[in-house]
Amino acid sequence: MSTAPVLPDWLTPLVRPEIAALTPYASARREAVGGTVWLNANESPWNNTTVNGVNRYPDCQPGAVRNGYASYAGVSPEQVLVTRGADEGIDLLIRAFCRPGIDRIASCGPSYGMYAISAATNAVGCDLLEWAEGYQLPDNFVDQVRDCKLVFVCNPNNPSGTVIDPATLTRLAAQLPNSLLVVDEAYIEFCPELTVTGTLQQCPNLVVLRTLSKAFALAGARCGFTLANPAVIALLEKVIAPYPVPEPVAQLAAEALSPEGLRRMQTQVAQLNARREALTQRLVALPDVRQVLPSRANFLLFELKDARRCYDQLAAQGLFIRAYRHPQLTDWLRISIGADSEIEQVERALCAALGRRPIFNKDAVS
């Protein structure tokens, strides 16, 4: 674990007082590093698997993963916290900074639902504001969220795939000095030029959430990252579980962050972006599709006639895309950009449900 820096003045009024005063649990791995004989954690001496090291408790923050992601994201290791997916980062931020029954968070909707769910499970209020046209922040957004401890902005947004200019987010952080602006960049690999990580140094109240679930193809491993000012990271380290990153996950993450792993990810991102653009053109050509939102992620949100009926017909065939209960999305469906064969199956079934001739062109998405 990194040495906790002194709590800066700007952060003192934001953090829960009991968290600021908390001494974290001193696990065996936090108390001692190095060594050749480990008899301080009541572990088994046998490793009964083919995965090295799983009979021992893992490091709370595995160095290879933390350092590897810091290098990839262009930040220092002290600005990185490795978590169980980005979802754990959301929960840790709410637990560390929001007093139950007193403080509130804010986000625009429709967006990722776990912001509100994590707030509710921690007895923290959540202000869900409406997007302006094109899934942009409303003009009075700052005034509406000024009293909220945490302000979440998903960029690219899920489920729309739309983006907000990073300069807008940097200005927003400056306009909210008494809040933490949390930018969820789960899909940023599909448009890396739009990241706000380059402004973390100048915006101490900016927090960035990342994950290996999407572009890195490790959704089942559950590995995410919180990037922030070292003082914020130190506070989150107080409330994170003693061993949040299982050893097999750490090994998978380290491999994904290797030079070879990064090249593979970037190649696959290029392929998925090309498939997304090709599918956009084919969906736009369908008369029943009213609009397809411009996406910078690995999915498309599109509005069409009889959306729920089409969804049900696809689901009856075991073909699952995403439908929504949100009142603004009742006529919308979201499709992930998968393999060519998967896209073809769904597209043919969708055209059949609409009574249209399929126009799938495999060469267009290869």
Side-chain angles (χ1 to χ4, degrees):
M1 304 298 292
S2 59
T3 302
V6 176
L7 199 64
D9 291 341
W10 67 269
L11 194 55
T12 300
L14 282 174
V15 66
R16 289 172 56 187
E18 56 271 43
I19 301 302
L22 178 68
T23 299
Y25 172 68
S27 69
R29 289 297 175 266
R30 289 190 180 192
E31 285 189 325
V33 296
T36 56
V37 175
W38 292 90
L39 299 178
N40 65 339
N42 306 329
E43 301 154 328
S44 172
W46 290 284
N47 182 358
N48 297 322
T49 77
T50 59
V51 181
N52 291 333
V54 293
N55 59 313
R56 303 294 184 184
Y57 286 109
D59 289 337
C60 178
Q61 292 293 289
V65 179
R66 193 176 206 174
N67 294 336
Y69 202 84
S71 176
Y72 164 68
V75 299
S76 68
E78 293 75 22
Q79 293 176 287
V80 177
L81 186 72
V82 190
T83 60
R84 288 167 288 195
D87 290 335
E88 186 178 30
I90 296 168
D91 187 67
L92 290 174
L93 286 163
I94 292 174
R95 286 166 52 201
F97 290 96
C98 296
R99 296 164 294 175
I102 299 176
D103 293 322
R104 306 184 67 79
I105 72 166
S107 69
C108 285
S111 190
Y112 186 44
M114 283 306 297
Y115 313 138
I117 295 295
S118 291
T121 56
N122 285 285
V124 170
C126 179
D127 296 341
L128 289 175
L129 311 178
E130 290 191 8
W131 294 105
E133 184 178 357
Y135 285 85
Q136 298 299 298
L137 298 176
D139 291 338
N140 61 345
F141 185 70
V142 172
D143 293 333
Q144 293 187 76
V145 304
R146 197 182 300 277
D147 295 329
C148 294
K149 278 284 188 74
L150 304 175
V151 178
F152 288 88
V153 179
C154 190
N155 199 48
N157 184 50
N158 176 15
S160 63
T162 51
V163 294
I164 296 171
D165 181 64
T168 299
L169 297 175
T170 301
R171 288 194 298 271
L172 180 61
Q175 293 170 322
L176 296 171
N178 299 318
S179 307
L180 290 182
L181 174 62
V182 185
V183 180
D184 186 343
E185 293 189 344
Y187 299 93
I188 199 64
E189 278 75 23
F190 299 96
C191 50
E193 71 279 5
L194 297 180
T195 182
V196 294
T197 53
T199 59
L200 281 172
Q201 204 67 30
Q202 70 187 71
C203 300
N205 63 325
L206 178 63
V207 179
V208 177
L209 299 176
R210 294 283 193 88
T211 183
L212 299 185
S213 294
K214 311 301 181 183
F216 284 90
L218 288 178
R222 308 307 302 131
C223 186
F225 303 88
T226 301
L227 312 179
N229 183 280
V232 173
I233 296 299
L235 287 168
L236 299 181
E237 287 179 335
K238 287 187 172 188
V239 296
I240 199 169
Y243 307 109
V245 187
E247 179 60 29
V249 172
Q251 294 180 25
L252 289 170
E255 180 183 353
L257 294 168
S258 68
E260 180 182 354
L262 292 175
R263 286 192 295 270
R264 179 174 59 241
M265 177 273 291
Q266 291 162 351
T267 297
Q268 293 172 350
V269 162
Q271 293 174 347
L272 291 172
N273 282 343
R275 293 178 186 184
R276 183 194 65 223
E277 295 310 306
L279 180 58
T280 297
Q281 296 306 312
R282 295 197 303 277
L283 288 173
V284 167
L286 288 173
D288 305 88
V289 173
R290 295 165 182 159
Q291 59 178 315
V292 182
L293 292 188
S295 173
R296 300 298 303 275
N298 65 335
F299 56 82
L300 288 171
L301 185 69
F302 60 101
E303 183 185 19
L304 79 162
K305 177 182 177 182
D306 294 331
R308 174 54 64 171
R309 180 183 63 82
C310 291
Y311 171 83
D312 290 341
Q313 289 194 24
L314 266 62
Q317 302 173 57
L319 305 175
F320 290 100
I321 57 177
R322 193 70 180 266
Y324 294 92
R325 296 186 181 90
H326 193 287
Q328 295 182 27
L329 296 175
T330 54
D331 295 327
W332 295 78
L333 297 175
R334 191 195 71 190
I335 180 170
S336 302
I337 308 303
D340 285 343
S341 59
E342 295 171 323
I343 295 174
E344 181 175 6
Q345 287 184 75
V346 170
E347 188 173 344
R348 290 187 184 279
L350 179 62
C351 289
L354 295 170
R356 301 292 180 182
R357 183 185 183 93
I359 55 174
F360 183 84
N361 179 358
K362 186 173 182 179
D363 292 337
V365 296
S366 59

